[in-house]
Amino acid sequence: MRTHAMGEMTVKEIREYLKHNQTIIFPYGVVEQHGYHLPLSMDIHNAEVPAFELAEKLDCIVAPTLNYCFSGGQLPGTINVRPTTFCAMVCDIVEALARMGFKNILIYPGHGGTESLAQLKEALRILKWLNPQLEDIMIMILRRGDFWRRPKEENQTGSDFHAGDAETSLMLAYRNHLVQMDQLELDEPEIAEKMRHDPDFYQLCTTLSGQPQEIMTTRQRPEVKVGVMGYPEFASAERGMENVKNAITPMAEMVKKAIATADANRKSGKRIEVISPALDAGSFMKNSKSKG
């Protein structure tokens, strides 16, 4: 194979590829605030670089990265796309890939935003629900943090959520020319510490009535000026390489097994029954009420 990048291939090369391999990785990122030391494109690189590392291990191709989704941040440079818009775009892309003949579509998020991810999982579930022709298509969402989390330093009292040690280390390893450690700044100590313990602290949520039925207004707290949620001072290129290697290796092993299982079950017609998220939530609500 000449390249792992779908965007660099020709129609003829895609046609030949699909004859022997129906697996593709689809990364997505976001353009958002990452402090003063990291670029706005941090999560785009955070999607592309590991995706190509995974493609090497799976010997598959990578679709062009979708660069936009929902951030929630409101500092200059951040581009927010509504989760509904983002999900509609991803669903269209997935359908297009399936029509081409791809059977294993591996979505790799470079951005960990819960708003986009939660809606994307449900949007894709409903997409398959309403499209029986997608029943034989395996769609997976692969997050690095599900496979490996680097232990904290002894003097890290909180967590490393955003623009901190992990992300800065990744950029030092793969795009070090875009890191400006001499520009590193944090918010005021009290604000920075709160964001290390609660990644949603940056959100200021208000209502007019105070009643839980009212849809809240959400803004970024005006006192948040930098938005780093972690410990970038501990970052190093070596830690970045370790981070990706220790996550992508087990991820690749799992995906290989999943593809083999899916291929066998496509041929046999077997399906593995799982609990629907909706049913699971209903059961939880029922159990919660019975205990009250």
Side-chain angles (χ1 to χ4, degrees):
M1 186 161 54
R2 181 177 62 85
T3 177
H4 288 285
M6 178 186 181
E8 297 175 2
M9 299 170 74
T10 66
V11 172
K12 181 179 180 181
E13 287 175 315
I14 292 293
R15 188 176 289 132
E16 290 300 315
Y17 174 82
L18 283 167
K19 289 179 181 178
H20 63 86
N21 196 334
Q22 294 82 46
T23 298
I24 188 166
I25 302 170
F26 167 46
Y28 74 81
V30 71
V31 179
E32 70 165 348
Q33 59 200 53
H34 274 86
Y36 297 167
H37 67 293
L38 292 178
L40 298 168
S41 59
M42 168 70 225
D43 286 351
I44 297 172
H45 304 292
N46 201 25
E48 287 180 338
V49 173
F52 277 96
E53 290 282 330
L54 181 60
E56 291 275 355
K57 293 184 179 298
L58 299 178
D59 194 26
C60 70
I61 62 175
V62 180
T65 304
L66 178 62
N67 290 344
Y68 300 98
C69 68
F70 182 76
S71 162
Q74 295 179 318
L75 293 179
T78 301
I79 298 176
N80 281 294
V81 172
R82 290 179 179 85
T84 49
T85 304
F86 163 71
C87 290
M89 177 73 79
V90 173
C91 286
D92 283 352
I93 292 170
V94 165
E95 285 189 302
L97 293 172
R99 283 194 298 270
M100 288 180 210
F102 289 100
K103 293 183 178 179
N104 306 306
I105 301 172
L106 313 175
I107 299 174
Y108 194 98
H111 174 59
T114 54
E115 297 86 0
S116 291
L117 192 60
Q119 290 201 33
L120 178 59
K121 288 179 178 179
E122 190 65 0
L124 290 169
R125 186 174 79 95
I126 292 174
L127 177 70
K128 294 195 71 176
W129 194 341
L130 298 178
N131 291 269
Q133 64 271 27
L134 294 179
E135 184 174 347
D136 279 347
I137 308 301
M138 184 177 72
I139 304 169
M140 304 186 86
I141 297 178
L142 304 172
R143 302 177 66 195
R144 188 180 72 249
D146 290 341
F147 292 86
W148 184 77
R149 291 184 182 277
R150 186 184 49 71
K152 294 180 187 177
E153 291 285 333
E154 290 184 5
N155 47 353
Q156 292 184 9
T157 58
S159 297
D160 191 68
F161 292 113
H162 176 79
D165 181 1
E167 290 196 317
T168 304
S169 293
L170 286 169
M171 286 297 284
L172 286 170
Y174 291 106
R175 302 286 189 273
N176 67 332
H177 63 288
L178 296 177
V179 182
Q180 302 181 72
M181 293 303 287
D182 61 327
Q183 297 297 312
L184 174 61
E185 289 188 35
L186 301 178
D187 282 291
E188 292 298 319
E190 181 181 355
I191 300 299
E193 188 64 14
K194 285 182 177 180
M195 289 193 292
R196 292 183 184 123
H197 289 83
D198 179 6
D200 292 329
F201 173 77
Y202 80 97
Q203 298 178 23
L204 176 63
C205 301
T206 62
T207 62
L208 295 170
S209 69
Q211 298 302 316
Q213 291 81 7
E214 183 184 347
I215 302 300
M216 66 183 70
T217 296
T218 305
R219 297 287 183 266
Q220 180 162 300
R221 292 181 182 275
E223 60 267 35
V224 176
K225 304 296 184 183
V226 183
V228 173
M229 305 176 188
Y231 302 87
E233 64 271 23
F234 293 106
S236 71
E238 292 74 22
R239 293 158 76 86
M241 293 290 289
E242 178 189 26
N243 189 322
V244 172
K245 178 182 177 182
N246 288 345
I248 297 301
T249 298
M251 183 187 295
E253 292 173 357
M254 182 279 290
V255 172
K256 288 177 182 178
K257 292 178 181 177
I259 290 173
T261 301
D263 285 342
N265 289 339
R266 288 184 187 111
K267 293 176 182 177
S268 68
K270 177 184 175 182
R271 293 295 181 269
I272 301 169
E273 187 172 348
V274 295
I275 298 176
S276 161
L279 292 176
D280 197 30
S283 174
F284 173 77
M285 291 297 292
K286 182 179 178 180
N287 291 336
S288 296
K289 290 178 181 177
S290 66
K291 293 177 182 177

